[in-house]
Amino acid sequence: MAIYGFVKQGETGMRKIHRWLVLFVLLLAMAVTAENVLFVPDPGPSGVWSVSLRTPGRKAAANIPVPIERIAGKRILLTAEIEQEDVSKKPNHWNGVKLMLVIGYADGKTGYLQAENSAGSLPWTPHAVAVMVPADIRSAQIDLALEEVSGTVRFRNVRIVEDIPANYRGYRLTGATDRENGEYRAGETMRFTFKLSRDGRPAAGFLRLACAGDDGKSEVLYKQADADGTVRVERSLDRPGFVMVKASLLTPYGLPAQSGGRNIQYGLGGGVEPEALKQGTPEPADFDVYWKKQLEALAAVPPKLLEKKLIKENGRCFVYDVKISCVGKRPVSGYLSIPKGAGPKSLPLRVWYEGYGVSSAPARENPAEITFSVNAHGIENGREPAYYKRLEQGELRNYGLRAAGNQKPENSYFNNMILRDLRALEFAKSLPEWDGSTLYLAGGSQGAFQVVAVAALSDGITGCFIRVPWFCDLGGIALGRAESTFRPQPAPGLAYFDAVNFAKRVKAPVEIEAGLSDWVCPPSGVWVLYNNLNSPAKLTMFQGLDHGGYPAYDQRTTPRAVYHKSSRRQ
């Protein structure tokens, strides 16, 4: 069983203990009584592994072999307490402070499983990574290191324990700002308050608070909830932009606590003069010339219906799996739904575009309109899960995200995606049941990016509805704005796909819904998109809305701010 001791004030190389840390160690000690410890490496007389780098690089504090018979076939935690000083920002999510279990699998592959880490300075703080270890592993090793960063890090109480899931059922984390609309003046204090409860009553717990602002400042805090389950954070911003704060309840090991398979967390945001935000980098001078050339290439391939297969019929609609010829190696594919009894020129049309991922298009049905759901990749729809998994792990693995594929716009994965989207619209407009005038585009995340691109390159759109739009203001990071946690590696060809450049060319009305704490599509990028629109637009920004919604998020009741603007001439 691991033994925990308090850090003495003034002890060499150790920080003064904070009140929250004393409580955390007590809570951790309580958890230790139930631990089944599988392996504890010997740190030597000091009890600590330490490593420092003056300039970014890689240096190991220890590489510790693990007896595989102790962990094979078990669900485990590799856990440790970590103290760090001035650790620089990591270039990739897999770099930084490494508390990692390296596993050699039976098929010859190697797994690198590491605990979450952050930049900056932290007092002694629990960290862990959960791993389901196969029974037939060939090797295992604990790596303690710094990778591609500078700074100092220390590790203690390193051990592997059996992972016994804790019960966090009934826990709930909510929050609010002191301004319902989340609007502040430059330099004004933003107050973010989070409330932790269990079965409706205030609860004790430790929260991890990730803070990021559009001034380039980001940090991670750890705080204990007070007697009424409250944790408060104050921030400010001296320029146009946003601050986001995400609070997550932690287990005694420093892992995110979960209920019902979801992290117990909540996010809030505050903004300063967002109407003054401008895109981080200018659009390419030949943006219009480039897309004129791509439209010509699309027109050179005659539209041809390759397949129209009835897959579903009910009392409301016929649903068809369709394929249409297009440029590139794949056709347009998607599900077309036509209401029963539809006569010529009788119905409005809505075209849907889908988010990032590899899957079938959904079969949407609406008895009041024609619906075409476009597959982002032109792949088969309605196939077995193994088909999509093979593509996701093979040909379409991390599609569009690597810098090598985005050096030139014509080589980008998103180029042919947009051309398929345009051909899908062209096909939909040829349907005899369409009324010839009412045409809506809709999509979320990557689908929203596609909507903006299609609306910019097409005429006759009645309106666009987009939610949590992705690919907005990719150059904003050059100005220190909060960086998306999911975006392509920077490359020159991406500017031809940035949604904020397409936005200037959209002529149809646009309605946008987005989150003030969306770490995939940060609010500053959404606002640049909104600011660049020259068409009528409505923007609704919601508190508590992350990219997929925090567990306690309820769109019906959450605070929001709504903005409108009429069209303006370019």
Side-chain angles (χ1 to χ4, degrees):
M1 183 172 292
I3 299 174
Y4 290 81
F6 290 102
V7 183
K8 295 179 181 178
Q9 294 195 21
E11 189 172 351
T12 303
M14 297 186 181
R15 292 173 172 266
K16 183 179 180 180
I17 300 177
H18 298 290
R19 181 173 65 88
W20 70 263
L21 185 57
V22 176
L23 294 170
F24 209 145
V25 171
L26 286 171
L27 184 60
L28 192 56
M30 293 171 61
V32 168
T33 60
E35 275 188 343
N36 179 16
V37 179
L38 303 175
F39 176 66
V40 180
D42 182 9
S46 70
V48 174
W49 288 273
S50 180
V51 60
S52 296
L53 284 171
R54 291 187 176 181
T55 57
R58 194 187 199 287
K59 187 176 181 181
N63 304 113
I64 306 163
V66 177
I68 61 175
E69 67 276 6
R70 299 192 188 183
I71 65 171
K74 295 183 173 70
R75 185 174 180 83
I76 65 168
L77 295 176
L78 168 60
T79 182
E81 293 171 62
I82 297 176
E83 180 188 56
Q84 63 188 59
E85 299 170 9
D86 301 323
V87 172
S88 62
K89 183 179 178 181
K90 52 190 177 183
N92 301 291
H93 68 85
W94 56 85
N95 301 136
V97 177
K98 311 286 279 193
L99 171 63
M100 183 165 68
L101 185 65
V102 183
I103 296 179
Y105 296 112
D107 61 3
K109 296 181 180 179
T110 303
Y112 301 90
L113 307 147
Q114 69 182 58
E116 182 179 345
N117 64 69
S118 57
S121 298
L122 289 175
W124 286 109
T125 307
H127 289 71
V129 57
V131 182
M132 181 63 226
V133 182
D136 57 352
I137 61 170
R138 295 181 176 181
S139 63
Q141 174 180 293
I142 297 171
D143 281 5
L144 310 174
L146 285 175
E147 182 179 80
E148 303 304 328
V149 292
S150 60
T152 298
V153 64
R154 303 175 187 90
F155 305 84
R156 73 179 186 189
N157 290 329
V158 178
R159 65 208 186 281
I160 295 176
V161 302
E162 189 172 4
D163 184 9
I164 302 173
N167 180 15
Y168 287 93
R169 185 175 180 180
Y171 278 87
R172 178 181 173 88
L173 190 59
T174 59
T177 61
D178 61 326
R179 301 283 175 78
E180 187 168 341
N181 61 8
E183 295 180 5
Y184 298 85
R185 294 188 297 271
E188 192 174 17
T189 299
M190 303 176 179
R191 295 180 175 87
F192 304 93
T193 301
F194 296 93
K195 292 277 190 178
L196 179 64
S197 63
R198 184 179 188 183
D199 297 326
R201 298 180 179 180
F206 284 91
L207 303 187
R208 178 186 189 272
L209 299 125
C211 310
D214 286 333
D215 53 2
K217 298 176 182 178
S218 62
E219 65 176 332
V220 175
L221 308 172
Y222 293 84
K223 290 192 175 188
Q224 164 74 20
D226 63 19
D228 65 350
T230 299
V231 169
R232 297 176 177 86
V233 177
E234 292 187 352
R235 282 293 177 272
S236 64
L237 192 64
D238 61 1
R239 67 193 69 179
F242 288 85
V243 171
M244 297 187 295
V245 182
K246 179 193 291 186
S248 303
L249 177 63
L250 298 181
T251 72
Y253 293 105
L255 287 171
Q258 293 193 334
S259 177
R262 300 182 69 187
N263 291 352
I264 301 169
Q265 58 183 9
Y266 200 77
L268 298 167
V272 172
E273 299 177 20
E275 66 279 357
L277 285 169
K278 301 183 185 302
Q279 63 191 85
T281 54
E283 70 175 45
D286 65 341
F287 186 89
D288 290 317
V289 172
Y290 175 79
W291 281 106
K292 182 175 183 293
K293 180 180 178 182
Q294 298 308 307
L295 293 175
E296 290 170 350
L298 177 62
V301 179
K304 182 180 179 181
L305 181 61
L306 303 176
E307 181 179 298
K308 183 180 179 183
K309 179 172 60 178
L310 181 66
I311 64 160
K312 183 178 181 181
E313 177 184 356
N314 54 36
R316 306 192 318 164
C317 299
F318 297 103
V319 180
Y320 302 92
D321 189 355
V322 300
K323 295 183 179 66
I324 307 104
S325 60
C326 195
V327 297
K329 61 183 287 187
R330 288 200 179 96
V332 174
S333 69
Y335 282 135
L336 172 66
S337 174
I338 300 179
K340 280 193 169 182
K345 296 187 177 297
S346 63
L347 290 169
L349 168 64
R350 190 178 304 269
V351 181
W352 284 87
Y353 299 103
E354 305 304 321
Y356 194 96
V358 182
S359 64
S360 172
R364 296 181 174 91
E365 299 175 35
N366 187 333
E369 64 184 17
I370 302 165
T371 303
F372 189 24
S373 298
V374 183
N375 191 298
H377 310 289
I379 57 179
E380 298 282 338
N381 294 300
R383 289 286 300 270
E384 69 283 0
Y387 167 78
Y388 301 107
K389 186 174 182 179
R390 283 194 300 271
L391 287 170
E392 184 177 34
Q393 295 179 346
E395 180 186 350
L396 297 181
R397 180 179 175 84
N398 297 325
Y399 67 86
L401 300 182
R402 300 191 181 278
N406 290 314
Q407 294 302 310
K408 295 182 179 180
E410 57 267 30
N411 295 334
S412 173
Y413 186 84
F414 299 108
N415 190 78
N416 282 358
M417 178 186 289
I418 290 174
L419 295 181
R420 286 192 297 271
D421 294 339
L422 290 164
R423 178 52 52 89
L425 178 62
E426 184 181 359
F427 162 75
K429 290 169 71 174
S430 72
L431 295 168
E433 296 87 354
W434 178 46
D435 65 17
S437 61
T438 313
L439 171 56
Y440 294 97
L441 307 181
S445 190
Q446 177 189 265
F449 147 69
Q450 295 174 81
V451 167
V452 177
V454 171
L457 298 171
S458 305
D459 292 314
I461 310 298
T462 304
C464 304
F465 175 77
I466 59 176
R467 185 172 172 83
V468 293
W470 190 51
F471 241 67
C472 295
D473 191 33
L474 298 177
I477 56 173
L479 302 181
R481 290 176 186 155
E483 185 172 354
S484 166
T485 56
F486 185 79
R487 57 162 286 158
Q489 297 170 345
L494 289 172
Y496 294 85
F497 306 96
D498 195 320
V500 304
N501 292 329
F502 284 121
K504 303 171 190 177
R505 295 157 172 87
V506 173
K507 297 174 281 295
V510 180
E511 184 174 347
I512 308 168
E513 291 186 350
L516 282 162
S517 181
D518 185 338
W519 292 68
V520 173
C521 301
S524 57
V526 176
W527 260 94
V528 174
L529 172 72
Y530 177 73
N531 289 340
N532 279 10
L533 287 167
N534 291 298
S535 57
K538 175 185 177 183
L539 170 63
T540 306
M541 300 295 295
F542 295 92
Q543 289 287 11
L545 175 59
D546 194 6
H547 204 61
Y550 293 107
Y553 172 73
D554 186 340
Q555 184 162 318
R556 297 168 299 177
T557 59
T558 190
R560 79 224 33 219
V562 183
Y563 308 88
H564 297 268
K565 69 177 181 181
S566 58
S567 60
R568 66 178 186 268
R569 301 183 68 179
Q570 290 182 306

